[in-house]
Amino acid sequence: MSISYTEPAVTSAPDSPSYPPSVDKLARSLADIDLPHPMLVEAARAAIDAGDPQRARELAATMARSLLRPVINGTGTLLHTNLGRAPLAWSQAAAYSNLELDLTTGERGSRMATAPALIARACGAEAALVVNNCAAAVMLVLAALAEGRGVVVSRGELVEIGGGFRVPEVMERSGARLIEVGTTNRTRVDDFRRAVDEHGDDAGVLLQVHQSNYRIVGFTEAPRTAELASIDRPLVADIGSGLLDSRCPWLDSGPPGWLDDEPAARQTLDAGADLVTFSGDKLFGGPQAGIIAGRADLVAACSRHPLARALRPGSLVLGALQETALAYLRGDGDAIPFWRMVAVPVETLRHRAAALGVGIPVDVMSTPGGGTLPTVEIPSAGVAVPGDHRERLRNRPRPLIARVVDNRTIVDLRTVEADDDAEVAAALADISTPTDAAVDD
Ligand SMILES: *Cc1c(COP(=O)(O)O)cnc(C)c1O
């Protein structure tokens, strides 16, 4: 790649009449920008049509910058929604796989026999199914278990999670009907019981939704999973964040204190939930996916529903999930980038900050992010540089995403792989030296 990311010099359009250069010639002059020729032609044509051929380079550079690329996350937000939530280390060479071939029998196999089966084992579920994301998981479960019937939910859990996941709307799409019970701040198990008595068979499923991205504090009450499990209806718990086991057996240091109130798949199932749903790319630390785990007969009902076919993942996602699930089964949190970053002691980060040799070492607070654990902060360390340099850092061939606090640019090292420290140091050294960008001032 040979893209120039320095902002192109913006010269004003000449007032004197000038003949526009040919689109093709202008496009060819942009050949150093790593884009397919037709895209360079598009940039050239747009610039000429706008009467400003000089802008062609800027337009093409903007197109190049809009492509997906690896970035260094210096924000300290571990599950940054804009940066793809959990960091993902998975690539696949061009090759066939035994996605749906049983290598023992040579017969057709099931793609759900791989990663989903391992995830079920890792969280103590009878069975599991994987779809595109957790929103899809909730929709499929409700469609499969309650289409045309009612789903009982607490009014305190009719939530909206980031990216427009609204429980009432997902429910409507699934063909199930909402039966709201209780109040915003207080709902009791008796509210659910009464609704089931009143609606009879029409109340098909009880749904618990974790308040992932907000907290109701003060005069509150919500039924525990174990209480709801005593009601004779399938209980579905949308735990969202994908913590597999509250004991975190994959961490040598045990569960971090800030996970205390986070529902975990294994414990929620143990408490009596029939199914749990969660995201693959939040605390699970894998690729974007939605996981449905629990009772084998209910998981089978979900797989038989026609929507399951429309929501099924391919081998890239299943391969990445399998890798993550195997790491959990080995108890190897270090092999899961999210948990490896979580577990780094703050002293280690302070040493790394000092060793960068640029900027001022500072103590900062990281956050889990990704619409999880809204009130949690994790002690961390990084470096600060006076001024707001986010744009220049973003425009590097491998962008470094930083945050600004009190007019200082902060790079939090908790979300930076140690191997990338040298690149962070180089990036910060670059902004400490004046360049053409400063000429604008
Ligand atoms: C994040 C979240 C979702 C949505 O998950 P996606 O994987 O982003 O679709 C749904 N429910 C809960 C409780 C969540 O926390």
Side-chain angles (χ1 to χ4, degrees):
M1 285 224 311
S2 54
I3 306 174
S4 162
Y5 283 91
T6 46
E7 288 302 321
V10 181
T11 45
S12 51
D15 289 333
S16 57
S18 61
Y19 299 104
S22 85
V23 169
D24 191 57
K25 194 167 160 220
L26 184 54
R28 276 179 213 290
S29 76
L30 306 174
D32 58 304
I33 297 179
D34 189 16
L35 283 178
H37 187 65
M39 294 177 74
L40 297 177
V41 169
E42 193 181 313
R45 180 166 294 132
I48 288 172
D49 286 353
D52 189 2
Q54 302 278 2
R55 275 200 67 215
R57 174 162 292 275
E58 188 185 334
L59 290 178
T62 302
M63 281 182 190
R65 224 180 277 135
S66 71
L67 300 180
L68 273 180
R69 68 188 58 223
V71 306
I72 300 177
N73 177 6
T75 65
T77 302
L78 285 147
L79 303 170
H80 200 302
T81 305
N82 299 357
L83 306 181
R85 290 193 183 152
L88 186 58
W90 175 253
S91 63
Q92 188 173 289
Y96 294 108
S97 72
N98 56 332
L99 181 64
E100 289 197 349
L101 175 70
D102 183 331
L103 290 174
T104 307
T105 62
E107 307 284 320
R108 174 153 190 186
S110 160
R111 66 179 69 203
M112 295 303 164
T114 59
L118 297 174
I119 294 171
R121 181 189 289 251
C123 68
E126 287 174 13
L129 176 68
V130 173
V131 291
N132 287 332
N133 52 37
C134 188
V138 173
M139 187 163 81
L140 176 57
V141 166
L142 298 181
L145 307 185
E147 204 157 12
R149 292 198 293 161
V151 175
V152 191
V153 195
S154 160
R155 290 197 169 87
E157 297 179 357
L158 292 174
V159 302
E160 171 168 335
I161 315 279
F165 173 88
R166 292 182 144 189
V167 172
E169 287 169 12
V170 170
M171 196 168 294
E172 196 178 311
R173 295 279 159 195
S174 73
R177 249 182 325 96
L178 180 62
I179 303 177
E180 322 174 19
V181 298
T183 63
T184 303
N185 59 329
R186 289 173 75 94
T187 303
R188 301 179 190 82
V189 64
D190 281 342
D191 295 321
F192 279 81
R193 267 209 193 96
R194 248 194 325 273
V196 168
D197 288 344
E198 197 179 304
H199 293 265
D201 277 349
D202 188 49
V205 166
L206 313 184
L207 177 67
Q208 254 191 323
V209 184
H210 178 47
Q211 299 165 354
S212 291
N213 54 355
Y214 71 104
R215 293 287 177 264
I216 295 183
V217 296
F219 187 58
T220 66
E221 185 175 346
R224 287 179 297 112
T225 300
E227 293 176 294
L228 290 180
S230 69
I231 301 176
D232 181 26
R233 287 292 182 283
L235 171 60
V236 177
D238 177 23
I239 61 171
S241 68
L243 177 62
L244 268 200
D245 185 330
S246 58
R247 295 164 305 173
C248 297
W250 55 89
L251 292 183
D252 291 339
S253 49
W258 46 264
L259 273 179
D260 272 358
D261 297 326
E262 194 61 17
R266 177 180 289 274
Q267 283 71 24
T268 304
L269 291 168
D270 283 351
D274 297 292
L275 288 179
V276 291
T277 52
F278 54 91
S279 296
D281 52 356
K282 294 183 182 171
L283 300 181
F284 185 76
Q288 179 190 305
I291 292 137
I292 301 166
R295 253 171 61 187
D297 59 329
L298 301 182
V299 170
C302 293
S303 349
R304 280 195 303 270
H305 193 278
L307 261 182
R309 174 65 180 78
L311 301 175
R312 76 180 187 186
S315 62
L316 264 179
V317 165
L318 290 169
L321 278 175
Q322 172 175 292
E323 231 15 55
T324 314
L326 288 171
Y328 278 115
L329 290 169
R330 282 194 299 264
D332 182 5
D334 266 357
I336 304 169
F338 167 76
W339 288 107
R340 183 171 65 233
M341 289 175 172
V342 161
V344 177
V346 67
E347 299 78 52
T348 308
L349 298 175
R350 287 194 187 114
H351 280 123
R352 281 172 49 193
L356 287 186
V358 54
I360 308 145
V362 286
D363 277 0
V364 291
M365 287 291 184
S366 305
T367 54
T372 66
L373 298 152
T375 55
V376 165
E377 292 194 315
I378 305 168
S380 184
V383 290
V385 177
D388 180 351
H389 304 286
R390 282 174 300 183
E391 186 176 358
R392 278 212 32 215
L393 294 172
R394 251 195 342 262
N395 286 341
R396 295 178 60 82
R398 186 161 170 230
L400 168 57
I401 313 299
R403 64 189 152 117
V404 164
V405 181
D406 297 334
N407 198 35
R408 293 194 305 171
T409 302
I410 310 251
V411 175
D412 182 332
L413 289 179
R414 181 166 299 285
T415 47
V416 175
E417 294 282 8
D419 285 350
D420 292 332
D421 281 1
E423 197 172 331
V424 168
L428 295 179
D430 270 359
I431 59 172
S432 313
T433 56
T435 67
D436 45 320
V439 174
D440 289 345
D441 300 334

